[in-house]
Structure formats: C-alpha cells, structure tokens
Amino acid sequence: MIWGKGAVQDTYTLIRKGVLRIARCHGMEEELKSVLKRDDYEKSGKPKIDWSDGEEKRRLLESLVWDALNLVKKAREKEPMPGDLADAVDFLERVAK
C-alpha cells in the first residue's frame, strides 16, 4: 500500500483517465458515457475538492469507482469487443477494484 496525498491523487487520475480511454474507443463515447454519473471527466486537472478533507476524498473516490465499474459493465456488453477496448476495460477494472 502506498500512503500519502500524492498516491491518492494518482489513484483518482488513473480512474479518470481510464474512464476517458474507454469512453473514446470506437465512437462509443455517447453510448458509454450514458452510464456515468459524473460529468467532469473531460476537465483538465484534479477535481476541485478540499484534498485535506478525508470524507470529501472518500466521496469523490466512491463516485469515481462506481462510474468506472458501471462503465466496465456496459463496455463488456459490446460483442465482439475490439482489442483496444478490451485492454482499456481490463485496466480500468483492475484499478477500480
């Protein structure tokens, strides 16, 4: 386990970038984005929260994880799944779990 503010932000960044990677695969952006609750994945930089507030960080991470898992589930419905999409889905699932 890695401790520290930087490590936590890296986790958020990995999930956010993984969501974007999947959503942009093969023109499926709108179809896949329909399962996302958050609408700030396209914004650059870290989400605007109080990073010193543990509860606020927990809520943000929880919302990112739920979006990631919902996106993974929706993407897995794609048959046949193109290789780059499968790779992106596998990566995001590992990060989010």
Side-chain angles (χ1 to χ4, degrees):
M1 182 172 285
I2 298 174
W3 298 99
K5 187 171 163 182
V8 171
Q9 291 174 356
D10 287 343
T11 302
Y12 294 120
T13 300
L14 284 171
I15 292 174
R16 290 179 70 227
K17 287 184 178 182
V19 165
L20 282 174
R21 184 176 167 202
I22 290 172
R24 292 177 178 161
C25 282
H26 296 283
M28 299 176 60
E29 189 167 343
E30 291 307 314
E31 176 186 350
L32 293 177
K33 285 173 86 173
S34 69
V35 302
L36 301 177
K37 299 278 190 222
R38 300 185 60 82
D39 63 358
D40 61 352
Y41 290 99
E42 299 283 344
K43 293 181 182 175
S44 62
K46 297 176 283 201
K48 305 294 185 216
I49 66 166
D50 178 359
W51 288 98
S52 65
D53 183 336
E55 182 60 22
E56 202 168 339
K57 290 190 300 188
R58 185 200 63 75
R59 285 192 308 267
L60 174 60
L61 183 59
E62 184 177 286
S63 71
L64 291 170
V65 167
W66 278 113
D67 268 1
L69 295 177
N70 286 333
L71 186 60
V72 164
K73 181 179 177 183
K74 181 70 172 177
R76 290 206 186 278
E77 294 173 2
K78 178 81 171 157
E79 293 286 333
M81 187 182 298
D84 59 339
L85 179 59
D87 291 343
V89 167
D90 290 343
F91 172 78
L92 183 58
E93 187 172 39
R94 283 192 311 271
V95 171
K97 283 188 174 183

